[in-house]
Amino acid sequence: MATRVIGAASLTRDLGRWRNDEPGGAPADSGKRAARPAYVALAESIRLLIHDGRAPLGVALPSERDLATSLSVSRTTVTSAYSLLREHGYLISRQGSRSTVALPPTVVHDGAKPARSILAMMAQPELPTIDMTYAAMAAPPQMNEAYSFALQGLPTYLGTHGMDPVGVLMLREALARRYTERGLPTEPDQILITLGAQHGLRLLLNVLTTPAERVLIEHPTYPNAIEAIRDVGARPVPVPMRPDGWDLDGIRSAARQTAASVAYLIPDFNNPTGHLLDAEGRAELAAIARETRMTVIVDESMVDLDLTGLESPPPAAAFARNSEIVTIGSASKSFWGGLRVGWVRANQALITKLLGTRSTVDLGTPVMDQLATVHLLRNADEILTTRRDQLRSRRAVLLETLAEELPDWRVTPGAGGMSLWAQLPAPVSTALAATAPNHGVLLAAGPRFGVQGAFERFIRLPFTHEESDLRVAVKSIAAATSALTPHAGDPLAPLITY
Ligand SMILES: Cc1ncc(COP(=O)(O)O)c(C=O)c1O
């Protein structure tokens, strides 16, 4: 298979103001960096793009000549920068082929997921611990009513065996109506009720992939999706997100270059960044899927959590002409994760295949939880208005406290969702997550949201806790940050000398 290549123009754009002497360049520690030669500044900036997942492992960098032209620097500058990166294990060169991005062996690849119980054990027992590893809210007060409604409706089902693998018709009708109202005409038999979106994703991966198949993912993305892709033996192919959203050209070229037949994307408030793909982007995504014969699994778990107050674009699948976009949805973020109710919206042929694979794993979603979800959907406007107000106010408190306690962290809120993706001044995310339990807070380190060791300079901060807890959490994170020794968790920092 051809090696994926980053174009010189694309790398130039990602590098932004990389030179010490450019106006606005090298912000936080410009004093320290001002004397660095250009090739070191360039090597350091490329190194940070590698750590941030924006230059994926295995991808070839532009030729020295192309990059030199594109950056308007001498070829020697690029040659020296590449040599420095090669020397420190960030580039691998093979005879006669381009240099490809790598990570030195000292860096932990794939941000191996620390078991939560281990993190919890590390927490000080006397300190109340705020768990920021989850982005999920407590149930709304309407939950009692929802289960009373379910109990009243239950007798209709008690005369049957109650195990309907496709799901209760009343719920499928309610969901089909919702899609149709959002601009995606849908029949109830295009819906399969699952045990949450994660279950839906896993069923789809079972049907749509074969071992070793490539699955495109936006990068960063939802960690359990990465795990699910790996678990079926497929290989996640990261397409870096830009600071303002999706790189559709990158998705198109990665689809062509890797011949991936499946992609998994979260256009309605990417977890963790909160970005939203606009209508134009959705139309282009559908076109890419058609051109490259790729099935795009669109995860709409967060779709109800728009925090802008603006009109939402139609579902991504509304831009498809055929079956190129499959949608998964969930009641977990809109209502409550404990319901364990999700769904897949697809054409009937795919629903039938999914039913075939489901019976080897489970035999259906509990009837009570499905009926409770029907009630919650009927009251969705009221529940979601409150939920969005809460999230907006919590996010404001989180942003305000971060600005006070950690002013050198860079945070740009997305359009919705439940978390901020904060950029740290140094690649210490894993070290911070390891230290944080000692200060009463559990954190998911940035590398969990990516592959190949990316995102050591990022951390996800959910704003699902109450305001008072968020204030305490940020103060604890600030204390944990100052407890880190310089260069903790970044064994490479001293390697490139300034
Ligand atoms: C993007 C995304 N997809 C899926 C899930 C899991 O959803 P469910 O609880 O419906 O399995 C989550 C939960 O965090 C999520 O953020």
Side-chain angles (χ1 to χ4, degrees), residues 120-136:
M121 270 162 17
M122 285 164 58
Q124 304 281 56
E126 68 277 14
L127 273 180
T129 297
I130 301 174
D131 189 348
M132 302 274 277
T133 60
Y134 277 89

Side-chain angles (χ1 to χ4, degrees), residues 135 195-199 222 264 266 271 299 301-302 329-333 337 340-342:
L195 294 155
Q198 180 68 14
H199 179 224
Y222 175 52
Y264 165 82
I266 319 170
N271 181 358
D299 183 340
S301 302
M302 303 269 187
S330 171
S332 291
K333 308 292 174 178
R340 305 310 310 139
V341 170

Side-chain angles (χ1 to χ4, degrees), residues 9 22 27 54 57 80 134 153 161 210 214 242 249 310 318 324 341 347 351 357 376 399 425 430 432 437 450 461:
E22 270 184 276
R54 307 220 358 237
L57 297 198
S80 308
Y134 277 89
H161 58 55
T210 50
R214 280 155 176 84
R242 298 200 179 285
D249 289 340
L310 303 171
E324 61 268 29
V341 170
N347 64 19
I351 296 285
T357 179
L376 293 165
L399 285 166
T430 303
L432 178 59
L461 299 175

Side-chain angles (χ1 to χ4, degrees), residues 89 95 97 112 135 295 483:
Q95 197 78 40
S97 59
T295 304

Side-chain angles (χ1 to χ4, degrees), residues 428 481-490 493-494:
V428 293
T481 306
S482 31
L484 292 178
T485 51
H487 300 318
D490 183 17

Side-chain angles (χ1 to χ4, degrees), residues 293-381:
R293 296 170 176 272
M294 180 171 70
T295 304
V296 181
I297 302 173
V298 160
D299 183 340
E300 282 197 350
S301 302
M302 303 269 187
V303 71
D304 291 325
L305 305 180
D306 168 82
L307 303 180
T308 62
L310 303 171
E311 200 183 327
S312 299
F319 296 86
R321 292 202 193 128
N322 212 318
S323 52
E324 61 268 29
I325 298 187
V326 178
T327 311
I328 56 181
S330 171
S332 291
K333 308 292 174 178
S334 308
F335 307 122
W336 190 44
L339 284 161
R340 305 310 310 139
V341 170
W343 53 90
V344 176
R345 182 211 176 268
N347 64 19
Q348 288 157 21
L350 184 51
I351 296 285
T352 307
K353 282 194 200 157
L354 292 170
L355 281 169
T357 179
R358 177 174 199 167
S359 59
T360 64
V361 184
D362 73 281
L363 301 177
T365 305
V367 173
M368 278 292 281
D369 303 318
Q370 295 187 65
L371 296 178
T373 306
V374 170
H375 184 81
L376 293 165
L377 285 169
R378 285 182 188 171
N379 294 278
D381 285 350

